Amino acid sequence: MSETQVWEVIAGKDKGGIVVREDKSIKSKELGRLSFASYVEEIELAGDRLNYKKLAGTGPETGWVSLKLADKDLLKCIIKREPPKPPLFCAWYSGGFFKKDGEKLLAPLIDAVQKAGLEDTAVLHFPNEYDMIGEGREAWASYVDRLVEEINKAAGDDKRSIVVFGHSRGASPAICVATRLGARCKKVYIAACGAMVKGQATAWENLSMAFKQGGDRDLLKWFSSLQPENVVLSRTANDTTDAEFEEHVKSSKFMSEMLGLMRTQYRNAMYPDPDKDFTVVLAPIMAFSPIQDAGSGPEVTQGWGELTSGGFQLETVDAGHMDCLAPNPEGKCELFEKISKDLQQFVS
């Protein structure tokens, strides 16, 4: 269907057409008459007044006409505009998860978003899940290229609007996609992540550099600090001798795979170029600070407001770094409720 509406003049046959005026007011200057059976393209519709561009017929090339005179129709719409689809909700989980586990982590959020009215959603992944290998800043742009391809595939075209959500490290691809897609991105949600700063190395670049100076235990100690509820991870990282640590990693498939993932996603990682890959976005940003997470308190989350020209809102939730995405025993989640309420602006 057309992106614009086309109208046909069906009145004024015996009067030389219908009256065209200079602007919306019916008291504005008369420009002439638009002939019977003329075809016009809608520029703006304000009540029963139509601002048009002539496609066929005689009369003024553009102007304002009335759709009705008393109870009589003067024009009829012959090509209707296709209603815009609601935005596609695009989400990134935190680093330290494989695809299957990341999708599981975000499943309750996706369910809440769909119940709020945005039925079309897509969970996006980190470079390793797209078999992309590379380190440093240079590789990141190609990763964003791939994300845009995946989003367009899920959206069904390359023009549909999107809403993005990023949790922890997932904030990085989320803001870079919002930068790349410009006006297509209508909203950015960030959870449990201190602000990125234009022109400054990101936290993930700094982490990569630091982890390259240390060993595997440092990787797991850091990741364990984000998941204090994971007792096995904590004990392995903090309460073993070096020999026990090596043996535990070697004998445990889970620990071995986790360590391999951490090396890929954090130590030998790719990360955004702060001068090229993200900047001030057009979309409003709503950032969530879990008050039980010392690393993403309001004071560091507030800085996301510097990366939007569309408005900024800081929200706090009474949760930790990971469990801010976890519904309570009653099935409720403060973060989900706030996002669901905000998404109503996109639901017709």
Side-chain angles (χ1 to χ4, degrees), residues 238-309:
N238 299 292
D239 301 329
T240 56
T241 65
D242 289 344
E244 290 171 337
F245 178 83
E246 294 297 332
E247 179 58 30
H248 199 163
V249 169
K250 186 183 299 184
S251 62
S252 168
K253 181 181 178 182
F254 165 76
M255 204 62 65
S256 178
E257 290 181 345
M258 172 61 67
L259 190 54
L261 183 65
M262 294 297 292
R263 291 175 186 140
T264 300
Q265 290 188 353
Y266 285 96
R267 187 169 70 194
N268 307 320
M270 59 177 76
Y271 34 76
D273 185 327
D275 296 314
K276 298 179 181 178
D277 294 319
F278 64 92
T279 189
V280 175
V281 299
L282 299 173
I285 295 178
M286 179 182 287
F288 294 90
S289 171
I291 59 176
Q292 296 177 30
D293 176 18
S296 54
E299 67 282 356
V300 295
T301 307
Q302 182 72 37
W304 285 106
E306 300 299 319
L307 282 181
T308 175
S309 62

Side-chain angles (χ1 to χ4, degrees), residues 3-43:
E3 292 185 0
T4 60
Q5 298 198 134
V6 175
W7 297 76
E8 178 185 2
V9 179
I10 59 173
K13 186 175 182 179
D14 57 347
K15 296 182 179 179
I18 61 175
V19 174
V20 179
R21 296 192 180 276
E22 188 173 45
D23 59 38
K24 190 186 309 183
S25 171
I26 58 174
K27 296 182 180 180
S28 61
K29 179 182 177 181
E30 184 176 331
L31 300 179
R33 287 181 176 263
L34 186 62
S35 65
F36 174 78
S38 290
Y39 294 96
V40 297
E41 178 182 323
E42 178 183 313
I43 298 174

Side-chain angles (χ1 to χ4, degrees), residues 14 31 48 53 128 130 142 148 228 236 311 325 345:
D14 57 347
L31 300 179
D48 65 351
K53 175 184 177 183
N128 57 290
Y130 300 115
S142 295
V148 172
T236 301
L325 297 178
Q345 64 186 293

Side-chain angles (χ1 to χ4, degrees), residues 46 81 87 98 100 107 112 172 219 241 250 313:
R81 181 186 298 113
F98 289 103
K100 182 179 179 181
S172 182
L219 276 170
T241 65
K250 186 183 299 184
Q313 187 173 348

